[in-house]
Amino acid sequence: MTLSAPEIDALDQKHLARAAQLGLECPASDGSFSVGAVLTDSDGQEISTGYTREFGDSWHAEQVALEKAARDGIDPAGGWMYSSLEPCGNRLSGNVPCVQRIIDAKLSRVIYAEKEPPIFVTGVGHDLLREQGLDVVQLEGFKEVFRQANKHLLEKS
C-alpha cells in the first residue's frame, strides 16, 4: 500500500524522516545497504532506534532497534517499525530476516521509504508482512535520503 502525503499522519512522517537520517550515520559497505530504523509503541512514542552495522557488520537497522528495546526490558508488541528500507524477507548471511524479527516481536505496523533494490536479494518483506496481517505502508517521500546514504551501491546497479 502506498499512501499519498495527505493520508499520512504527521507523526509517521516525523519518525520516517528520523529513520532516513539515521541511515546516513551508517558506515558505508559494499555488502549491505545503509538503513535507519525507529521503533515506537502503538501511540507513536519512540522506544528505540538503530542503524545498519551499529552493533557490527551483520546487524540490520530493524534488528538493532529491536535489540535495544529488549536490552531495556521493553516489550514492543503492538508497536510500529519505521525503516528507510523495506525490511528484509531473506538474508544472504543466513541470519534471521528482519521480517521474522518483526513478526516475532508482534509489531502491528511497518512504515518504510524505499522498496529493496534487487542488488543483494529480492525485496519480499512488504508482502511477507502483509501475509501475516501487519499494516504495511510505503511512504515514498523519503526515498532520496535512502538513495543518498546508498549512492555507492545504487550507482553500480
Side-chain angles (χ1 to χ4, degrees):
M1 167 189 316
T2 302
L3 301 176
S4 62
E7 297 171 290
I8 296 300
D9 185 289
L11 196 57
D12 288 337
Q13 292 186 32
K14 173 187 161 189
H15 289 310
L16 192 55
R18 177 147 160 70
Q21 288 299 312
L22 285 165
L24 294 171
E25 295 184 25
C26 299
S29 168
D30 286 334
S32 65
F33 292 112
S34 295
V35 177
V38 174
L39 177 62
T40 72
D41 63 20
S42 60
D43 292 326
Q45 298 300 310
E46 185 177 298
I47 294 172
S48 64
T49 64
Y51 58 85
T52 306
R53 295 178 293 286
E54 184 174 350
F55 288 168
D57 287 345
S58 66
W59 287 79
H60 284 193
E62 300 91 340
Q63 178 184 6
V64 171
L66 288 165
E67 177 64 21
K68 285 180 179 178
R71 290 179 184 183
D72 289 340
I74 299 170
D75 180 0
W80 301 348
M81 181 67 74
Y82 294 84
S83 179
S84 59
L85 181 65
E86 172 187 23
C88 66
N90 50 56
R91 290 176 73 168
L92 293 176
S93 65
N95 290 332
V96 175
C98 293
V99 163
Q100 190 59 53
R101 293 175 191 280
I102 289 166
I103 292 166
D104 291 346
K106 297 180 175 45
L107 300 185
S108 63
R109 189 168 190 238
V110 174
I111 302 93
Y112 68 94
E114 177 71 282
K115 191 91 170 117
E116 182 158 356
I119 294 174
F120 303 112
V121 297
T122 302
V124 296
H126 182 110
D127 294 336
L128 292 173
L129 290 166
R130 291 290 302 260
E131 288 170 9
Q132 293 296 313
L134 278 79
D135 180 26
V136 184
V137 177
Q138 181 183 10
L139 280 180
E140 295 184 356
F142 299 93
K143 283 182 173 186
E144 287 310 312
V145 180
F146 170 81
R147 290 177 181 164
Q148 179 184 348
N150 293 283
K151 185 177 180 182
H152 64 289
L153 294 172
L154 298 172
E155 288 177 345
K156 291 179 185 179
S157 63

